[in-house]
Amino acid sequence: MIRLFIAPFLMIYSIIFIIFMIQFFWSQIDELTGKNISIFILIKFIFYFGISILPLVTPIALLLTSIIIFGDFAENQELIAIKSSGISLFRIMIPILGITFILSIGLYLFSDFVIPKAKMKIKQLGYQISLTHPSLKLKEGVFVSLFPNFFIKIDKKSNNNYLHNIFIFFYGKNLLVNTILSQRGVLIPNQKDGSIQLKLMNGVLYSENLNNYKKKQSSYQILEFDTLIQNFKIPIESKIKNLDDDDFYQNLNTKNLIQKINFLKKKNYKKINTYKNKIHLAKLQLELQKKFTFPVTCIIMFFIGAPLGAIIRKGGIGYPTMIALIIFIIYYTLLTITQNKVEKTEISPWIGAWIPNFIFFPISIWMTYKTVMDNFYIIKINN
């Protein structure tokens, strides 16, 4: 039974993995092509991204493989022959269930030790790419923090880092606010010292200045310019985590997540009970729970797929793929909705992370029980 399961599982796993990679290429093709980015950097970026999506691929592959394997057995009457000899469906499921448990444990260890490092590598490669093409991070019509204390919005960007209708505000010395409006501009990266030169044309600079005599008072200066050149120093690579601290929790393993959660609860969180701190803590707790939810999802998907294949009595790729996609879309939609609610601190992180499994687990047990007891109406799907 194990031998019959492994070969289809590896094939289906590879196909689903390739589909996810193609989807990633399709969504990022405009940003990654035609920018003279090193092929070596692109290959590394793709490799580490592939590692990061494995927890999502594994449950789908288990679900689809289970439906196909047990659907083939039922369609070829092999399942009936096995049952007539006194062997129950659950006994047939036990070897593959053992493999599923091993995969689940391996997925947890992989998510805890390998994926955080892969996501950190992705961040570092993104940093390297941003040095060469800083405009890749910019989105039209949206304020973006290009680096700490610097926010920029553009209406349009074209090749070679050319920008149009630019709105910038940044904090200068003593946290004084500076605002720039410009019709055109260009980002000129300097890879040697990690700085970026921003050359702006036809605009206005609004600058706040501190009064030397009365330090609590400030004055405002307005300057129209034909050309304005500003140089900005990007933080060194060792401080990458500070560029997007809200997402840095994804690069932590279980031990570090627990330490950071306890630190926030005992110190910072008690002193400053702000909405931002609550969101940050909720994200950390959600990421900790997700370390365990995906391995459990693998087991649940097997308990759904195996009896479902025996019920529909149809192997092959067509019907099982359609059914597996519907089930996983429902699961992933629930996960996305609950995750968004957690990040808005509307529900508890552990409840948000486990709700999809709480819904699907009793369904999987019920389906397995009904199928093992032959208490299901058997559906025969004809060609």
Side-chain angles (χ1 to χ4, degrees):
M1 192 67 187
I2 294 176
R3 180 174 53 84
L4 294 174
F5 177 82
I6 290 177
F9 174 74
L10 293 176
M11 183 185 70
I12 291 169
Y13 199 98
S14 301
I15 292 172
I16 295 173
F17 178 80
I18 291 170
I19 290 172
F20 271 86
M21 294 301 294
I22 291 174
Q23 189 274 335
F24 168 74
F25 272 118
W26 188 260
S27 63
Q28 300 293 327
I29 190 169
D30 290 336
E31 299 292 341
L32 297 177
T33 57
K35 303 292 190 304
N36 296 321
I37 300 174
S38 170
I39 295 296
F40 180 67
I41 291 178
L42 282 177
I43 292 173
K44 288 174 66 177
F45 191 83
I46 293 165
F47 172 74
Y48 291 122
F49 174 79
I51 290 176
S52 67
I53 64 172
L54 292 182
L56 193 60
V57 174
T58 306
I60 309 176
L62 276 168
L63 174 64
L64 182 54
T65 306
S66 301
I67 296 174
I68 291 174
I69 292 295
F70 285 88
D72 279 334
F73 281 162
E75 185 179 20
N76 298 328
Q77 307 299 322
E78 294 178 25
L79 203 55
I80 295 176
I82 293 172
K83 286 182 178 180
S84 63
S85 66
I87 301 174
S88 68
L89 176 65
F90 187 74
R91 186 175 173 183
I92 301 170
M93 291 168 58
I94 287 176
I96 302 178
L97 181 59
I99 294 178
T100 305
F101 272 109
I102 294 172
L103 278 173
S104 299
I105 295 170
L107 184 61
Y108 165 74
L109 296 173
F110 190 82
S111 300
D112 202 40
F113 294 102
V114 179
I115 290 181
K117 294 180 181 179
K119 288 185 176 180
M120 176 55 75
K121 290 290 185 181
I122 291 173
K123 222 171 184 56
Q124 291 173 352
L125 290 171
Y127 169 83
Q128 293 179 28
I129 293 173
S130 69
L131 287 181
T132 309
H133 299 282
S135 63
L136 287 176
K137 195 175 180 180
L138 300 180
K139 296 180 181 179
E140 295 178 354
V142 179
F143 273 105
V144 174
S145 177
L146 199 58
F147 27 84
N149 298 325
F150 183 93
F151 302 89
I152 179 171
K153 180 174 77 71
I154 60 170
D155 286 348
K156 183 181 177 182
K157 64 178 179 178
S158 54
N159 293 332
N160 299 322
N161 297 322
Y162 282 99
L163 314 175
H164 303 273
N165 295 330
I166 305 160
F167 183 4
I168 298 171
F169 74 90
F170 62 95
Y171 296 100
K173 294 181 179 180
N174 299 317
L175 295 178
L176 297 176
V177 178
N178 297 274
T179 305
I180 302 175
L181 300 175
S182 177
Q183 295 181 9
R184 293 177 294 113
V186 59
L187 286 168
I188 305 172
N190 188 336
Q191 299 183 45
K192 292 181 180 180
D193 60 2
S195 65
I196 290 179
Q197 185 181 91
L198 181 58
K199 185 177 181 181
L200 302 170
M201 285 80 78
N202 300 329
V204 181
L205 168 64
Y206 301 88
S207 179
E208 188 178 10
N209 299 315
L210 192 65
N211 194 313
N212 293 327
Y213 299 100
K214 298 180 180 181
K215 293 186 177 181
K216 293 183 179 181
Q217 296 181 358
S218 59
S219 60
Y220 219 73
Q221 181 181 10
I222 300 176
L223 175 66
E224 294 185 4
F225 60 85
D226 294 326
T227 302
L228 175 67
I229 297 177
Q230 293 276 348
N231 292 299
F232 300 94
K233 182 74 174 180
I234 298 179
I236 59 175
E237 187 171 347
S238 61
K239 296 181 180 178
I240 288 176
K241 64 180 182 180
N242 295 326
L243 292 176
D244 196 3
D245 194 57
D246 288 340
D247 292 333
F248 190 64
Y249 61 90
Q250 297 178 354
N251 307 327
L252 302 175
N253 58 27
T254 301
K255 182 180 178 181
N256 292 333
L257 281 169
I258 293 173
Q259 290 176 348
K260 200 167 183 66
I261 288 169
N262 291 335
F263 176 79
L264 285 175
K265 284 182 175 179
K266 293 178 181 179
K267 296 184 179 180
N268 293 358
Y269 182 63
K270 288 184 178 180
K271 291 180 180 179
I272 307 175
N273 191 17
T274 63
Y275 181 66
K276 184 177 181 181
N277 287 337
K278 286 183 178 180
I279 292 176
H280 190 60
L281 183 60
K283 287 181 177 181
L284 287 168
Q285 292 174 326
L286 178 64
E287 186 67 20
L288 177 63
Q289 295 297 326
K290 284 167 66 177
K291 299 282 186 184
F292 303 96
T293 54
F294 276 114
V296 174
T297 301
C298 292
I299 299 171
I300 293 173
M301 289 302 167
F302 171 72
F303 275 118
I304 290 176
L308 194 57
I311 293 165
I312 65 175
R313 300 180 63 183
K314 186 69 177 177
I317 296 294
Y319 286 108
T321 302
M322 181 179 67
I323 294 170
L325 282 175
I326 292 172
I327 293 171
F328 198 80
I329 286 171
I330 294 171
Y331 172 85
Y332 193 73
T333 301
L334 284 171
L335 183 64
T336 303
I337 292 171
T338 54
Q339 182 172 317
N340 289 337
K341 287 187 174 294
V342 169
E343 292 178 351
K344 294 177 182 178
T345 66
E346 294 179 3
I347 58 176
S348 173
W350 75 269
I351 292 177
W354 287 95
I355 278 178
N357 285 346
F358 287 158
I359 293 172
F360 278 89
F361 179 71
I363 294 173
S364 67
I365 297 300
W366 177 76
M367 289 180 63
T368 302
Y369 173 77
K370 286 288 189 178
T371 308
V372 170
M373 300 303 293
D374 287 328
N375 197 18
F376 240 124
Y377 291 105
I378 303 299
I379 304 171
K380 175 65 173 144
I381 302 177
N382 297 317
N383 292 325

